[in-house]
Amino acid sequence: MLIVGVWVAALGLGLLPAHSWHCLCALDRCSRMAPLLSRSYLAVWALSSLLVFLLMVAVYTRIFFYVRRRVQRMAEHVSCHPRYRETTLSLVKTVVIILGAFVVCWTPGQVVLLLDGLDCKSCNVLAVEKYFLLLAEANSLVNAVVYSCRDAEMRRTFRRLLCCQCLRRSTQESAHYTSSTRAGASTRIMLPENGHPLMDSTL
């Protein structure tokens, strides 16, 4: 139900400017960053996004402290392996870092949209728009860096992807060397019935 509610809200906010909440009949109310959108719509959209960001930070902060207290309590009363405790806290820390990177990358753009929606005359939003947009798009790269730094398996995966050609070349050379060795010479030791070993070399 929560997922369906999120999709309905997203579709509603996305379709509103196309049908009613636009500035085609009142050009003086158009925003500077998105000329076809009304400033009031832009302000509501940016404010709602910032509120969602704040809610996400509050929820994940509470989850982090809850898990940490839970793991500490389990360590006191139950003989759990230290590796389990480290893994659990590491996973929670990774999620918190990912969320923090998301908020840091997207919040400046939302603030600029909010200032544009509030018609801030002294704010030169067009001068910083492209930089904040680039910062928001860089969030995907930040996620890959965080995952590769925090998780050993992800580090191995990225290393395998980056060194794919080197590994493939070394594997082919090793396979070629092995096949050449097998085709070149082979030695067999046979024990006949009288117990004397015989060496048979086949070229």
Side-chain angles (χ1 to χ4, degrees):
M1 290 179 65
L2 285 173
I3 294 175
V4 171
V6 168
W7 274 100
V8 169
L11 289 174
L13 285 174
L15 293 176
L16 273 176
H19 291 84
S20 58
W21 205 346
H22 52 72
C23 59
L24 296 180
C25 299
L27 297 180
D28 58 324
R29 291 185 297 177
C30 290
S31 69
R32 286 172 289 174
M33 295 180 62
L36 294 180
L37 298 180
S38 173
R39 287 198 305 269
S40 59
Y41 168 79
L42 206 62
V44 170
W45 187 79
L47 187 61
S48 63
S49 298
L50 291 173
L51 289 176
V52 170
F53 289 175
L54 184 62
L55 180 63
M56 289 168 58
V57 171
V59 169
Y60 276 93
T61 303
R62 182 175 176 81
I63 289 174
F64 173 74
F65 286 111
Y66 171 79
V67 171
R68 192 173 68 172
R69 285 198 309 269
R70 183 84 177 193
V71 171
Q72 290 176 350
R73 196 174 304 161
M74 288 177 60
E76 293 175 357
H77 299 284
V78 182
S79 59
C80 61
H81 199 276
R83 182 68 178 172
Y84 170 77
R85 180 173 179 271
E86 294 175 3
T87 302
T88 305
L89 290 178
S90 178
L91 288 174
V92 176
K93 287 179 181 178
T94 302
V95 173
V96 171
I97 293 173
I98 290 294
L99 175 66
F102 174 80
V103 172
V104 169
C105 290
W106 282 93
T107 299
Q110 300 299 324
V111 172
V112 170
L113 287 176
L114 180 60
L115 293 175
D116 188 23
L118 296 176
D119 196 18
C120 180
K121 300 294 185 182
S122 60
C123 305
N124 192 6
V125 293
L126 295 179
V128 296
E129 172 193 7
K130 53 186 176 184
Y131 301 110
F132 289 156
L133 180 61
L134 184 63
L135 178 62
E137 292 177 348
N139 180 237
S140 300
L141 177 62
V142 172
N143 288 344
V145 172
V146 171
Y147 278 124
S148 61
C149 291
R150 296 289 302 175
D151 187 72
E153 186 176 353
M154 290 293 293
R155 283 198 298 270
R156 287 194 297 268
T157 302
F158 278 110
R159 198 178 299 123
R160 210 162 40 236
L161 290 174
L162 293 175
C163 303
C164 180
Q165 296 298 328
C166 299
L167 291 175
R168 186 179 302 171
R169 191 178 299 112
S170 63
T171 303
Q172 290 176 352
E173 291 177 356
S174 176
H176 179 70
Y177 175 77
T178 303
S179 61
S180 300
T181 303
R182 289 177 178 175
S186 63
T187 302
R188 298 194 304 269
I189 298 177
M190 298 181 298
L191 293 176
E193 294 181 356
N194 56 10
H196 298 287
L198 296 176
M199 184 169 290
D200 178 21
S201 298
T202 303
L203 297 178

